[in-house]
Amino acid sequence: GDSVTQMEGPVTLSEEAFLTINCTYTATGYPSLFWYVQYPGEGLQLLLKATKADDKGSNKGFEATYRKETTSFHLEKGSVQVSDSAVYFCALIAGGTSYGKLTFGQGTILTVHP
Amino acid sequence: GAGVSQSPSNKVTEKGKDVELRCDPISGHTALYWYRQSLGQGLEFLIYFQGNSAPDKSGLPSDRFSAERTGGSVSTLTIQRTQQEDSAVYLCASSLGLQGPQHFGDGTRLSIL
């Protein structure tokens, strides 16, 4: 079945550090890939997405590139801020499906210290 | 409202009781999804609606779980004879069409004593 694996957390960084959260997937066909973020006390928000191989999704300084050859969609940010502290979820919608059933990774807790 | 609204935000109930969780999607969104977020299982898909129809109920954990949607708008997720393993945050999302980006509500935190 379809699955998403994220790097284990929690991840703790100092402000302005470089962030990478690894995400790999297993899916049939050509899935669409997503990063969602959940800030403390808030609901899930779509951070960025990519729908085909080599696409780069970007938003709020975060980037992720859809790598079909390595089945990966790693999240990166060049300089994190305290306000980026949240839980990050990698997710996919399997290719060929007619509706948007999201399959999520287990989530990675990011804490950024001043 | 501007976003997906879920009620109640918190629900504490005794084992064996029935509960109803409500989701009010963004106006005009035809697709509606229910997910569950728990410590042991992470985020799991439960069911989706296109209009009032639920073509895929395969994610519902047991026959104690049911959901309906009326008027292409509000949806209710009902759990009968609740068990402690039902304790979780239940999330609702809606989208404009089946392939559109999903907008999530803040969830209902369900605690079974």
Side-chain angles (χ1 to χ4, degrees):
Chain A
D2 303 323
S3 67
V4 176
T5 302
Q6 291 180 232
M7 68 183 287
E8 291 192 17
V11 174
T12 303
L13 295 173
S14 297
E15 206 165 24
E16 299 183 3
F18 184 86
L19 169 71
T20 300
I21 300 178
N22 290 339
C23 171
T24 57
Y25 66 88
T26 302
T28 53
Y30 299 94
S32 295
L33 302 174
F34 305 83
W35 278 99
Y36 279 83
V37 59
Q38 189 171 32
Y39 297 103
E42 298 185 16
L44 277 168
Q45 302 175 26
L46 177 63
L47 181 59
L48 54 84
K49 68 176 184 178
T51 57
K52 60 183 188 296
D54 300 324
D55 269 2
K56 178 185 285 188
S58 62
N59 187 25
K60 299 181 181 180
F62 291 88
E63 292 183 340
T65 301
Y66 188 143
R67 300 287 187 200
K68 185 172 181 296
E69 63 276 12
T70 54
T71 61
S72 65
F73 193 54
H74 304 321
L75 182 68
E76 297 183 335
K77 186 174 185 182
S79 176
V80 293
Q81 306 300 311
V82 172
S83 58
D84 294 326
S85 298
V87 185
Y88 293 81
F89 293 90
C90 187
L92 66 82
I93 295 175
T97 56
S98 60
Y99 66 95
K101 172 185 172 181
L102 284 161
T103 298
F104 288 92
Q106 66 268 41
T108 301
I109 300 172
L110 171 66
T111 302
V112 181
H113 292 297
Chain B
V4 176
S5 178
Q6 292 187 247
S7 61
S9 54
N10 283 282
K11 177 73 175 178
V12 180
T13 193
E14 293 179 348
K15 177 182 169 181
K17 300 285 189 184
D18 297 351
V19 295
E20 271 193 4
L21 312 180
R22 176 187 168 107
C23 173
D24 206 336
I26 293 173
S27 178
H29 280 194
T30 57
L32 186 147
Y33 300 82
W34 284 98
Y35 296 87
R36 179 169 72 171
Q37 186 174 22
S38 59
L39 280 176
Q41 302 297 322
L43 270 157
E44 310 169 88
F45 167 83
L46 297 178
I47 190 171
Y48 89 99
F49 290 88
Q50 172 61 8
N52 293 333
S53 299
D56 183 1
K57 302 179 183 178
S58 62
L60 294 176
S62 75
D63 58 7
R64 295 186 294 105
F65 287 71
S66 62
E68 65 174 14
R69 189 179 186 196
T70 55
S73 181
V74 172
S75 175
T76 55
L77 177 69
T78 301
I79 310 173
Q80 295 179 309
R81 305 181 302 282
T82 51
Q83 303 295 312
Q84 287 189 331
E85 63 262 27
D86 300 334
S87 296
V89 177
Y90 290 81
L91 296 171
C92 177
S94 69
S95 64
L96 189 63
L98 290 172
Q99 296 294 334
Q102 292 178 35
H103 300 265
F104 283 80
D106 288 343
T108 293
R109 182 174 297 278
L110 177 64
S111 300
I112 309 300
L113 302 179

PDB file of all heavy atoms in Angstrom, chain A residues 28-61:
ATOM      1  N   THR A  28       1.885   3.686  -5.727  1.00  0.00           N
ATOM      2  CA  THR A  28       1.675   3.242  -7.103  1.00  0.00           C
ATOM      3  C   THR A  28       1.453   4.462  -7.982  1.00  0.00           C
ATOM      4  O   THR A  28       0.960   5.506  -7.519  1.00  0.00           O
ATOM      5  CB  THR A  28       0.461   2.317  -7.196  1.00  0.00           C
ATOM      6  OG1 THR A  28      -0.658   2.978  -6.598  1.00  0.00           O
ATOM      7  CG2 THR A  28       0.714   1.017  -6.443  1.00  0.00           C
ATOM      8  N   GLY A  29       1.846   4.336  -9.223  1.00  0.00           N
ATOM      9  CA  GLY A  29       1.627   5.436 -10.142  1.00  0.00           C
ATOM     10  C   GLY A  29       2.464   6.651  -9.795  1.00  0.00           C
ATOM     11  O   GLY A  29       3.545   6.539  -9.210  1.00  0.00           O
ATOM     12  N   TYR A  30       1.970   7.792 -10.130  1.00  0.00           N
ATOM     13  CA  TYR A  30       2.685   9.046  -9.913  1.00  0.00           C
ATOM     14  C   TYR A  30       1.904   9.891  -8.914  1.00  0.00           C
ATOM     15  O   TYR A  30       0.966  10.586  -9.289  1.00  0.00           O
ATOM     16  CB  TYR A  30       2.843   9.792 -11.239  1.00  0.00           C
ATOM     17  CG  TYR A  30       3.639   8.991 -12.246  1.00  0.00           C
ATOM     18  CD1 TYR A  30       3.002   8.172 -13.176  1.00  0.00           C
ATOM     19  CD2 TYR A  30       5.030   9.036 -12.243  1.00  0.00           C
ATOM     20  CE1 TYR A  30       3.736   7.428 -14.089  1.00  0.00           C
ATOM     21  CE2 TYR A  30       5.770   8.300 -13.152  1.00  0.00           C
ATOM     22  CZ  TYR A  30       5.107   7.488 -14.069  1.00  0.00           C
ATOM     23  OH  TYR A  30       5.836   6.754 -14.970  1.00  0.00           O
ATOM     24  N   PRO A  31       2.288   9.840  -7.654  1.00  0.00           N
ATOM     25  CA  PRO A  31       1.514  10.561  -6.640  1.00  0.00           C
ATOM     26  C   PRO A  31       1.754  12.068  -6.694  1.00  0.00           C
ATOM     27  O   PRO A  31       2.745  12.536  -7.266  1.00  0.00           O
ATOM     28  CB  PRO A  31       2.050   9.994  -5.329  1.00  0.00           C
ATOM     29  CG  PRO A  31       3.460   9.602  -5.639  1.00  0.00           C
ATOM     30  CD  PRO A  31       3.423   9.103  -7.066  1.00  0.00           C
ATOM     31  N   SER A  32       0.845  12.800  -6.111  1.00  0.00           N
ATOM     32  CA  SER A  32       1.069  14.205  -5.784  1.00  0.00           C
ATOM     33  C   SER A  32       1.602  14.253  -4.359  1.00  0.00           C
ATOM     34  O   SER A  32       1.182  13.470  -3.506  1.00  0.00           O
ATOM     35  CB  SER A  32      -0.226  15.009  -5.881  1.00  0.00           C
ATOM     36  OG  SER A  32      -0.684  15.042  -7.211  1.00  0.00           O
ATOM     37  N   LEU A  33       2.531  15.161  -4.100  1.00  0.00           N
ATOM     38  CA  LEU A  33       3.212  15.216  -2.810  1.00  0.00           C
ATOM     39  C   LEU A  33       2.969  16.553  -2.122  1.00  0.00           C
ATOM     40  O   LEU A  33       2.885  17.596  -2.789  1.00  0.00           O
ATOM     41  CB  LEU A  33       4.714  14.987  -3.007  1.00  0.00           C
ATOM     42  CG  LEU A  33       5.089  13.669  -3.681  1.00  0.00           C
ATOM     43  CD1 LEU A  33       6.591  13.617  -3.945  1.00  0.00           C
ATOM     44  CD2 LEU A  33       4.669  12.481  -2.821  1.00  0.00           C
ATOM     45  N   PHE A  34       2.886  16.517  -0.801  1.00  0.00           N
ATOM     46  CA  PHE A  34       2.513  17.688  -0.023  1.00  0.00           C
ATOM     47  C   PHE A  34       3.342  17.765   1.257  1.00  0.00           C
ATOM     48  O   PHE A  34       3.767  16.743   1.794  1.00  0.00           O
ATOM     49  CB  PHE A  34       1.032  17.612   0.396  1.00  0.00           C
ATOM     50  CG  PHE A  34       0.072  17.421  -0.746  1.00  0.00           C
ATOM     51  CD1 PHE A  34      -0.167  16.150  -1.248  1.00  0.00           C
ATOM     52  CD2 PHE A  34      -0.591  18.499  -1.296  1.00  0.00           C
ATOM     53  CE1 PHE A  34      -1.058  15.962  -2.306  1.00  0.00           C
ATOM     54  CE2 PHE A  34      -1.480  18.320  -2.347  1.00  0.00           C
ATOM     55  CZ  PHE A  34      -1.704  17.052  -2.849  1.00  0.00           C
ATOM     56  N   TRP A  35       3.523  18.982   1.741  1.00  0.00           N
ATOM     57  CA  TRP A  35       3.939  19.221   3.119  1.00  0.00           C
ATOM     58  C   TRP A  35       2.850  20.042   3.792  1.00  0.00           C
ATOM     59  O   TRP A  35       2.438  21.095   3.274  1.00  0.00           O
ATOM     60  CB  TRP A  35       5.274  19.958   3.199  1.00  0.00           C
ATOM     61  CG  TRP A  35       6.446  19.057   3.059  1.00  0.00           C
ATOM     62  CD1 TRP A  35       7.203  18.827   1.944  1.00  0.00           C
ATOM     63  CD2 TRP A  35       7.024  18.247   4.091  1.00  0.00           C
ATOM     64  NE1 TRP A  35       8.192  17.917   2.205  1.00  0.00           N
ATOM     65  CE2 TRP A  35       8.108  17.550   3.519  1.00  0.00           C
ATOM     66  CE3 TRP A  35       6.733  18.040   5.446  1.00  0.00           C
ATOM     67  CZ2 TRP A  35       8.905  16.665   4.253  1.00  0.00           C
ATOM     68  CZ3 TRP A  35       7.520  17.165   6.165  1.00  0.00           C
ATOM     69  CH2 TRP A  35       8.603  16.483   5.579  1.00  0.00           C
ATOM     70  N   TYR A  36       2.382  19.543   4.944  1.00  0.00           N
ATOM     71  CA  TYR A  36       1.437  20.249   5.786  1.00  0.00           C
ATOM     72  C   TYR A  36       2.147  20.656   7.073  1.00  0.00           C
ATOM     73  O   TYR A  36       3.055  19.969   7.539  1.00  0.00           O
ATOM     74  CB  TYR A  36       0.232  19.378   6.134  1.00  0.00           C
ATOM     75  CG  TYR A  36      -0.816  19.314   5.047  1.00  0.00           C
ATOM     76  CD1 TYR A  36      -0.674  18.435   3.981  1.00  0.00           C
ATOM     77  CD2 TYR A  36      -1.942  20.137   5.085  1.00  0.00           C
ATOM     78  CE1 TYR A  36      -1.632  18.385   2.972  1.00  0.00           C
ATOM     79  CE2 TYR A  36      -2.909  20.088   4.085  1.00  0.00           C
ATOM     80  CZ  TYR A  36      -2.733  19.211   3.039  1.00  0.00           C
ATOM     81  OH  TYR A  36      -3.685  19.159   2.046  1.00  0.00           O
ATOM     82  N   VAL A  37       1.679  21.750   7.689  1.00  0.00           N
ATOM     83  CA  VAL A  37       2.260  22.221   8.943  1.00  0.00           C
ATOM     84  C   VAL A  37       1.131  22.436   9.948  1.00  0.00           C
ATOM     85  O   VAL A  37       0.023  22.851   9.595  1.00  0.00           O
ATOM     86  CB  VAL A  37       3.074  23.523   8.733  1.00  0.00           C
ATOM     87  CG1 VAL A  37       2.226  24.641   8.155  1.00  0.00           C
ATOM     88  CG2 VAL A  37       3.725  23.965  10.038  1.00  0.00           C
ATOM     89  N   GLN A  38       1.424  22.085  11.181  1.00  0.00           N
ATOM     90  CA  GLN A  38       0.457  22.267  12.277  1.00  0.00           C
ATOM     91  C   GLN A  38       1.137  23.085  13.361  1.00  0.00           C
ATOM     92  O   GLN A  38       1.976  22.565  14.106  1.00  0.00           O
ATOM     93  CB  GLN A  38      -0.004  20.912  12.804  1.00  0.00           C
ATOM     94  CG  GLN A  38      -1.153  20.967  13.777  1.00  0.00           C
ATOM     95  CD  GLN A  38      -1.693  19.568  14.089  1.00  0.00           C
ATOM     96  OE1 GLN A  38      -0.954  18.586  14.100  1.00  0.00           O
ATOM     97  NE2 GLN A  38      -2.992  19.468  14.329  1.00  0.00           N
ATOM     98  N   TYR A  39       0.780  24.368  13.459  1.00  0.00           N
ATOM     99  CA  TYR A  39       1.325  25.231  14.502  1.00  0.00           C
ATOM    100  C   TYR A  39       0.619  24.930  15.828  1.00  0.00           C
ATOM    101  O   TYR A  39      -0.512  24.445  15.833  1.00  0.00           O
ATOM    102  CB  TYR A  39       1.158  26.703  14.132  1.00  0.00           C
ATOM    103  CG  TYR A  39       1.917  27.091  12.883  1.00  0.00           C
ATOM    104  CD1 TYR A  39       1.270  27.266  11.665  1.00  0.00           C
ATOM    105  CD2 TYR A  39       3.308  27.259  12.917  1.00  0.00           C
ATOM    106  CE1 TYR A  39       1.971  27.599  10.515  1.00  0.00           C
ATOM    107  CE2 TYR A  39       4.014  27.590  11.768  1.00  0.00           C
ATOM    108  CZ  TYR A  39       3.338  27.749  10.584  1.00  0.00           C
ATOM    109  OH  TYR A  39       4.042  28.075   9.436  1.00  0.00           O
ATOM    110  N   PRO A  40       1.255  25.204  16.943  1.00  0.00           N
ATOM    111  CA  PRO A  40       0.657  24.899  18.245  1.00  0.00           C
ATOM    112  C   PRO A  40      -0.748  25.459  18.381  1.00  0.00           C
ATOM    113  O   PRO A  40      -0.983  26.638  18.159  1.00  0.00           O
ATOM    114  CB  PRO A  40       1.624  25.569  19.232  1.00  0.00           C
ATOM    115  CG  PRO A  40       2.930  25.595  18.508  1.00  0.00           C
ATOM    116  CD  PRO A  40       2.598  25.816  17.068  1.00  0.00           C
ATOM    117  N   GLY A  41      -1.690  24.581  18.717  1.00  0.00           N
ATOM    118  CA  GLY A  41      -3.065  25.008  18.941  1.00  0.00           C
ATOM    119  C   GLY A  41      -3.864  25.299  17.695  1.00  0.00           C
ATOM    120  O   GLY A  41      -4.994  25.784  17.783  1.00  0.00           O
ATOM    121  N   GLU A  42      -3.283  25.004  16.531  1.00  0.00           N
ATOM    122  CA  GLU A  42      -3.985  25.306  15.277  1.00  0.00           C
ATOM    123  C   GLU A  42      -4.204  24.047  14.448  1.00  0.00           C
ATOM    124  O   GLU A  42      -3.663  22.982  14.726  1.00  0.00           O
ATOM    125  CB  GLU A  42      -3.187  26.321  14.466  1.00  0.00           C
ATOM    126  CG  GLU A  42      -3.009  27.664  15.157  1.00  0.00           C
ATOM    127  CD  GLU A  42      -2.313  28.682  14.272  1.00  0.00           C
ATOM    128  OE1 GLU A  42      -2.243  28.472  13.049  1.00  0.00           O
ATOM    129  OE2 GLU A  42      -1.850  29.698  14.811  1.00  0.00           O
ATOM    130  N   GLY A  43      -5.000  24.183  13.397  1.00  0.00           N
ATOM    131  CA  GLY A  43      -5.260  23.069  12.497  1.00  0.00           C
ATOM    132  C   GLY A  43      -4.167  22.906  11.463  1.00  0.00           C
ATOM    133  O   GLY A  43      -3.270  23.731  11.338  1.00  0.00           O
ATOM    134  N   LEU A  44      -4.262  21.833  10.702  1.00  0.00           N
ATOM    135  CA  LEU A  44      -3.316  21.565   9.631  1.00  0.00           C
ATOM    136  C   LEU A  44      -3.455  22.596   8.516  1.00  0.00           C
ATOM    137  O   LEU A  44      -4.556  22.944   8.119  1.00  0.00           O
ATOM    138  CB  LEU A  44      -3.581  20.190   9.028  1.00  0.00           C
ATOM    139  CG  LEU A  44      -3.002  18.984   9.732  1.00  0.00           C
ATOM    140  CD1 LEU A  44      -3.609  17.718   9.165  1.00  0.00           C
ATOM    141  CD2 LEU A  44      -1.496  18.954   9.592  1.00  0.00           C
ATOM    142  N   GLN A  45      -2.310  23.047   8.019  1.00  0.00           N
ATOM    143  CA  GLN A  45      -2.309  23.986   6.901  1.00  0.00           C
ATOM    144  C   GLN A  45      -1.403  23.447   5.802  1.00  0.00           C
ATOM    145  O   GLN A  45      -0.329  22.926   6.095  1.00  0.00           O
ATOM    146  CB  GLN A  45      -1.770  25.352   7.328  1.00  0.00           C
ATOM    147  CG  GLN A  45      -2.507  26.013   8.451  1.00  0.00           C
ATOM    148  CD  GLN A  45      -1.821  27.307   8.887  1.00  0.00           C
ATOM    149  OE1 GLN A  45      -1.111  27.950   8.113  1.00  0.00           O
ATOM    150  NE2 GLN A  45      -2.028  27.677  10.134  1.00  0.00           N
ATOM    151  N   LEU A  46      -1.845  23.592   4.574  1.00  0.00           N
ATOM    152  CA  LEU A  46      -0.996  23.207   3.458  1.00  0.00           C
ATOM    153  C   LEU A  46       0.175  24.185   3.362  1.00  0.00           C
ATOM    154  O   LEU A  46      -0.025  25.392   3.288  1.00  0.00           O
ATOM    155  CB  LEU A  46      -1.796  23.215   2.158  1.00  0.00           C
ATOM    156  CG  LEU A  46      -1.018  22.894   0.890  1.00  0.00           C
ATOM    157  CD1 LEU A  46      -0.471  21.476   0.929  1.00  0.00           C
ATOM    158  CD2 LEU A  46      -1.914  23.077  -0.343  1.00  0.00           C
ATOM    159  N   LEU A  47       1.403  23.650   3.360  1.00  0.00           N
ATOM    160  CA  LEU A  47       2.587  24.486   3.259  1.00  0.00           C
ATOM    161  C   LEU A  47       3.041  24.601   1.803  1.00  0.00           C
ATOM    162  O   LEU A  47       3.281  25.680   1.292  1.00  0.00           O
ATOM    163  CB  LEU A  47       3.705  23.913   4.115  1.00  0.00           C
ATOM    164  CG  LEU A  47       5.026  24.671   4.148  1.00  0.00           C
ATOM    165  CD1 LEU A  47       4.841  26.091   4.661  1.00  0.00           C
ATOM    166  CD2 LEU A  47       6.053  23.921   5.002  1.00  0.00           C
ATOM    167  N   LEU A  48       3.167  23.454   1.122  1.00  0.00           N
ATOM    168  CA  LEU A  48       3.558  23.459  -0.274  1.00  0.00           C
ATOM    169  C   LEU A  48       3.222  22.112  -0.903  1.00  0.00           C
ATOM    170  O   LEU A  48       2.946  21.154  -0.192  1.00  0.00           O
ATOM    171  CB  LEU A  48       5.044  23.777  -0.445  1.00  0.00           C
ATOM    172  CG  LEU A  48       6.061  22.946   0.321  1.00  0.00           C
ATOM    173  CD1 LEU A  48       6.391  21.657  -0.406  1.00  0.00           C
ATOM    174  CD2 LEU A  48       7.337  23.734   0.569  1.00  0.00           C
ATOM    175  N   LYS A  49       3.263  22.079  -2.236  1.00  0.00           N
ATOM    176  CA  LYS A  49       2.943  20.840  -2.915  1.00  0.00           C
ATOM    177  C   LYS A  49       3.702  20.756  -4.241  1.00  0.00           C
ATOM    178  O   LYS A  49       4.195  21.762  -4.755  1.00  0.00           O
ATOM    179  CB  LYS A  49       1.444  20.733  -3.188  1.00  0.00           C
ATOM    180  CG  LYS A  49       0.919  21.728  -4.198  1.00  0.00           C
ATOM    181  CD  LYS A  49      -0.557  21.479  -4.479  1.00  0.00           C
ATOM    182  CE  LYS A  49      -1.064  22.426  -5.566  1.00  0.00           C
ATOM    183  NZ  LYS A  49      -2.498  22.159  -5.883  1.00  0.00           N
ATOM    184  N   ALA A  50       3.770  19.523  -4.765  1.00  0.00           N
ATOM    185  CA  ALA A  50       4.328  19.285  -6.092  1.00  0.00           C
ATOM    186  C   ALA A  50       3.566  18.123  -6.709  1.00  0.00           C
ATOM    187  O   ALA A  50       3.294  17.134  -6.032  1.00  0.00           O
ATOM    188  CB  ALA A  50       5.816  18.965  -6.018  1.00  0.00           C
ATOM    189  N   THR A  51       3.205  18.254  -7.956  1.00  0.00           N
ATOM    190  CA  THR A  51       2.327  17.257  -8.557  1.00  0.00           C
ATOM    191  C   THR A  51       3.005  16.369  -9.591  1.00  0.00           C
ATOM    192  O   THR A  51       2.405  15.384 -10.036  1.00  0.00           O
ATOM    193  CB  THR A  51       1.108  17.935  -9.207  1.00  0.00           C
ATOM    194  OG1 THR A  51       1.582  18.885 -10.160  1.00  0.00           O
ATOM    195  CG2 THR A  51       0.267  18.635  -8.155  1.00  0.00           C
ATOM    196  N   LYS A  52       4.244  16.698  -9.985  1.00  0.00           N
ATOM    197  CA  LYS A  52       4.935  15.808 -10.925  1.00  0.00           C
ATOM    198  C   LYS A  52       6.430  15.860 -10.677  1.00  0.00           C
ATOM    199  O   LYS A  52       6.957  16.788 -10.035  1.00  0.00           O
ATOM    200  CB  LYS A  52       4.601  16.151 -12.358  1.00  0.00           C
ATOM    201  CG  LYS A  52       4.968  17.530 -12.808  1.00  0.00           C
ATOM    202  CD  LYS A  52       4.508  17.736 -14.244  1.00  0.00           C
ATOM    203  CE  LYS A  52       5.011  19.040 -14.813  1.00  0.00           C
ATOM    204  NZ  LYS A  52       4.472  20.210 -14.121  1.00  0.00           N
ATOM    205  N   ALA A  53       7.107  14.863 -11.217  1.00  0.00           N
ATOM    206  CA  ALA A  53       8.541  14.709 -10.992  1.00  0.00           C
ATOM    207  C   ALA A  53       9.297  15.973 -11.381  1.00  0.00           C
ATOM    208  O   ALA A  53       8.994  16.618 -12.391  1.00  0.00           O
ATOM    209  CB  ALA A  53       9.056  13.515 -11.779  1.00  0.00           C
ATOM    210  N   ASP A  54      10.285  16.329 -10.532  1.00  0.00           N
ATOM    211  CA  ASP A  54      11.176  17.478 -10.690  1.00  0.00           C
ATOM    212  C   ASP A  54      10.507  18.813 -10.388  1.00  0.00           C
ATOM    213  O   ASP A  54      11.176  19.849 -10.413  1.00  0.00           O
ATOM    214  CB  ASP A  54      11.805  17.525 -12.091  1.00  0.00           C
ATOM    215  CG  ASP A  54      12.633  16.286 -12.381  1.00  0.00           C
ATOM    216  OD1 ASP A  54      13.275  15.775 -11.447  1.00  0.00           O
ATOM    217  OD2 ASP A  54      12.618  15.812 -13.526  1.00  0.00           O
ATOM    218  N   ASP A  55       9.219  18.813 -10.080  1.00  0.00           N
ATOM    219  CA  ASP A  55       8.564  20.038  -9.627  1.00  0.00           C
ATOM    220  C   ASP A  55       9.142  20.458  -8.293  1.00  0.00           C
ATOM    221  O   ASP A  55       9.452  19.610  -7.446  1.00  0.00           O
ATOM    222  CB  ASP A  55       7.057  19.812  -9.439  1.00  0.00           C
ATOM    223  CG  ASP A  55       6.272  20.135 -10.687  1.00  0.00           C
ATOM    224  OD1 ASP A  55       6.873  20.494 -11.711  1.00  0.00           O
ATOM    225  OD2 ASP A  55       5.027  20.017 -10.613  1.00  0.00           O
ATOM    226  N   LYS A  56       9.274  21.756  -8.079  1.00  0.00           N
ATOM    227  CA  LYS A  56       9.674  22.278  -6.781  1.00  0.00           C
ATOM    228  C   LYS A  56       8.512  23.071  -6.215  1.00  0.00           C
ATOM    229  O   LYS A  56       8.029  24.013  -6.847  1.00  0.00           O
ATOM    230  CB  LYS A  56      10.906  23.170  -6.908  1.00  0.00           C
ATOM    231  CG  LYS A  56      11.352  23.784  -5.574  1.00  0.00           C
ATOM    232  CD  LYS A  56      12.500  24.763  -5.741  1.00  0.00           C
ATOM    233  CE  LYS A  56      13.805  24.054  -5.978  1.00  0.00           C
ATOM    234  NZ  LYS A  56      14.965  24.992  -5.962  1.00  0.00           N
ATOM    235  N   GLY A  57       8.053  22.676  -5.014  1.00  0.00           N
ATOM    236  CA  GLY A  57       7.072  23.466  -4.302  1.00  0.00           C
ATOM    237  C   GLY A  57       7.786  24.419  -3.364  1.00  0.00           C
ATOM    238  O   GLY A  57       8.825  24.070  -2.801  1.00  0.00           O
ATOM    239  N   SER A  58       7.233  25.621  -3.187  1.00  0.00           N
ATOM    240  CA  SER A  58       7.871  26.575  -2.286  1.00  0.00           C
ATOM    241  C   SER A  58       6.825  27.481  -1.665  1.00  0.00           C
ATOM    242  O   SER A  58       5.798  27.801  -2.280  1.00  0.00           O
ATOM    243  CB  SER A  58       8.926  27.399  -3.021  1.00  0.00           C
ATOM    244  OG  SER A  58       8.340  28.147  -4.053  1.00  0.00           O
ATOM    245  N   ASN A  59       7.101  27.896  -0.421  1.00  0.00           N
ATOM    246  CA  ASN A  59       6.195  28.789   0.297  1.00  0.00           C
ATOM    247  C   ASN A  59       6.875  29.219   1.585  1.00  0.00           C
ATOM    248  O   ASN A  59       7.484  28.388   2.279  1.00  0.00           O
ATOM    249  CB  ASN A  59       4.873  28.085   0.612  1.00  0.00           C
ATOM    250  CG  ASN A  59       3.833  29.013   1.209  1.00  0.00           C
ATOM    251  OD1 ASN A  59       3.869  30.227   1.005  1.00  0.00           O
ATOM    252  ND2 ASN A  59       2.896  28.440   1.931  1.00  0.00           N
ATOM    253  N   LYS A  60       6.785  30.479   1.940  1.00  0.00           N
ATOM    254  CA  LYS A  60       7.302  31.008   3.212  1.00  0.00           C
ATOM    255  C   LYS A  60       8.781  30.668   3.416  1.00  0.00           C
ATOM    256  O   LYS A  60       9.219  30.465   4.554  1.00  0.00           O
ATOM    257  CB  LYS A  60       6.492  30.470   4.394  1.00  0.00           C
ATOM    258  CG  LYS A  60       5.023  30.842   4.363  1.00  0.00           C
ATOM    259  CD  LYS A  60       4.292  30.293   5.601  1.00  0.00           C
ATOM    260  CE  LYS A  60       2.827  30.652   5.565  1.00  0.00           C
ATOM    261  NZ  LYS A  60       2.096  30.132   6.751  1.00  0.00           N
ATOM    262  N   GLY A  61       9.552  30.572   2.363  1.00  0.00           N
ATOM    263  CA  GLY A  61      10.965  30.260   2.475  1.00  0.00           C
ATOM    264  C   GLY A  61      11.268  28.773   2.509  1.00  0.00           C
ATOM    265  O   GLY A  61      12.439  28.377   2.465  1.00  0.00           O
TER     266      GLY A  61
END
